[in-house]
Amino acid sequence: MTPVELSRTVLHAVRRAVDEGELAVAVLPERVVVAPPGPGGCGDYATNVALQLARPAGQPAPAVAELLRTRLLRTDGISDVVVTGPGFLNISLAGGADARLVRHILRAGPRYGHSDALAGQTIELHAAPEVRALVLMDSVARVLRSQGARPQLHCTRPPEDAWVRILGVPEDIRVRPGTAPLRPVPAPADPTSLGRDAARWALLHPAPHDRPRIGDEHLVQRESNPLFRVRYAHARSRAVVRNAADLGFGAEPGTVNASALHQALADHPRVLAATAAHRAPDRLARHLVAVADALAPLLPSVLPLGDEKPSAAHRARLALAEAAGTVLAGGLTLLGIDAPEHL
């Protein structure tokens, strides 16, 4: 069960409780947020939906949580539900959840994490007439489209030719004034000399309120460069897939001891939703670094060594590596950055 599927499962439990008269709530939430448990929590995911429903239902949050807990325990794919704190639901998924997550990612491809949560919504974005603001607006628009929205891009003047030609800023931005424009701390220097990929990363990886660094450190191919780590991890994930094919075996999701990587991959849909909501591509950039860093320890064990024959463990590790590479490629694309298969 993926986080999106779990969110729908919890929402279905809420609706059934209302339909059957156990909860008296006039307006139901459109979606339920599930996320890794915070301090004091347990299990695979947690949600505060019981706290949100308590006041409109006229019941204490722990009572609402216990009611939903009983329903969720009867759901396939859920092994345990624990109520903690003031009414948080902590959900443990049944065995094989990691394999199902990997299978879901491989089936969805680069569109994993995309949703229709904002379908039908036209969202106007206004950028300050500065290169970082325009690149940020372009990336926010890409992520908004991944969530089903129709963004409209505005600025008080057309983008410079080099920003369109080198950095990939859309040339069809509407020229008109707007309120509350995207106004990150401006770039201290012209980033176009870095080329499209490094320049966009330099502008997007820092939080909007942080001053970006425009220097050659974004071009060096070493571990100190986060962009290199992300693109190198993606290229290596593609390389092990090619090498495995040469050895005559393919990916098959299974049990792999890589909890940090599984958690990072499961978190991807939530990160995309938060990036869209907060207009903050730096959240996605930092998430890709976390995925790449969690993938690195797995890669040396994906392929058989010496006379070793491919086993179920190798196929499971290969599937996980391929899924991680898929997430990295999809995330880089939303930032407007190329994900090369060879580096």
Side-chain angles (χ1 to χ4, degrees):
M1 185 179 299
T2 68
V4 172
E5 291 170 339
L6 178 59
S7 173
R8 291 171 180 165
T9 297
V10 177
L11 183 57
H12 180 70
V14 171
R15 288 173 175 165
R16 288 291 300 275
V18 172
D19 291 343
E20 295 178 14
E22 293 182 329
L23 279 178
V25 180
V27 180
L28 293 176
E30 293 184 0
R31 57 191 295 264
V32 171
V33 176
V34 297
C42 59
D44 298 305
Y45 295 98
T47 177
N48 66 348
V49 66
L51 282 77
Q52 297 173 355
L53 295 171
R55 178 173 293 180
Q59 297 188 40
V64 175
E66 189 59 38
L67 185 156
L68 295 176
R69 173 183 178 274
T70 301
R71 290 184 170 274
L72 291 171
L73 284 173
R74 299 197 294 263
T75 303
D76 290 341
I78 293 178
S79 63
D80 194 16
V81 182
V82 176
V83 178
T84 60
F88 290 101
L89 286 163
N90 296 258
I91 303 169
S92 297
L93 301 181
D98 291 341
R100 286 194 294 272
L101 170 65
V102 170
R103 190 171 288 109
H104 175 68
I105 294 172
L106 296 179
R107 186 167 55 244
R111 292 184 58 81
Y112 169 64
H114 292 210
S115 79
D116 58 0
L118 302 179
Q121 296 188 31
T122 298
I123 298 177
E124 294 195 356
L125 300 174
H126 299 267
E130 184 270 332
V131 61
R132 188 184 185 200
L134 288 168
V135 169
L136 186 145
M137 181 171 68
D138 174 46
S139 184
V140 168
R142 292 167 183 258
V143 178
L144 284 170
R145 292 188 193 101
S146 80
Q147 304 303 297
R150 296 193 300 267
Q152 293 184 351
L153 280 56
H154 306 278
C155 188
T156 55
R157 67 168 186 254
E160 295 185 12
D161 176 69
W163 302 350
V164 174
R165 180 169 41 84
I166 299 175
L167 303 182
V169 171
E171 59 182 341
D172 59 348
I173 293 175
R174 300 183 182 185
V175 179
R176 53 172 284 191
T179 58
L182 298 171
R183 194 183 297 275
V185 174
D190 180 9
T192 56
S193 61
L194 297 176
R196 174 169 172 153
D197 295 332
R200 290 183 71 101
W201 182 269
L203 298 173
L204 296 173
H205 182 246
H209 58 267
D210 290 334
R211 180 182 174 89
R213 293 191 300 175
I214 308 299
D216 292 343
E217 66 268 21
H218 300 292
L219 298 173
V220 298
Q221 296 195 11
R222 61 182 64 159
E223 290 189 357
S224 61
N225 178 3
L227 174 59
F228 171 73
R229 296 209 304 276
V230 171
R231 299 175 87 196
Y232 184 57
H234 170 261
R236 288 191 66 192
S237 74
R238 299 307 303 153
V240 295
V241 171
R242 293 192 300 270
N243 293 338
D246 292 340
L247 293 173
F249 76 98
E252 179 57 43
T255 301
V256 181
N257 184 17
S259 59
L261 181 54
H262 284 117
Q263 188 60 67
L265 298 181
D267 209 28
H268 187 64
R270 184 195 64 80
V271 171
L272 292 186
T275 297
H278 296 281
R279 315 292 193 256
D282 60 292
R283 295 182 178 223
L284 175 56
R286 291 195 301 272
H287 172 64
L288 296 182
V289 175
V291 172
D293 289 347
L295 172 60
L298 173 74
L299 289 169
S301 64
V302 171
L303 300 175
L305 299 177
D307 295 332
E308 191 179 11
K309 300 296 183 182
S311 65
H314 291 112
R315 288 189 285 272
R317 293 181 202 126
L318 178 63
L320 180 55
E322 185 176 357
T326 297
V327 168
L328 293 174
L332 285 171
T333 298
L334 291 176
L335 295 177
I337 296 172
D338 185 37
E341 295 208 358
H342 302 271
L343 197 62

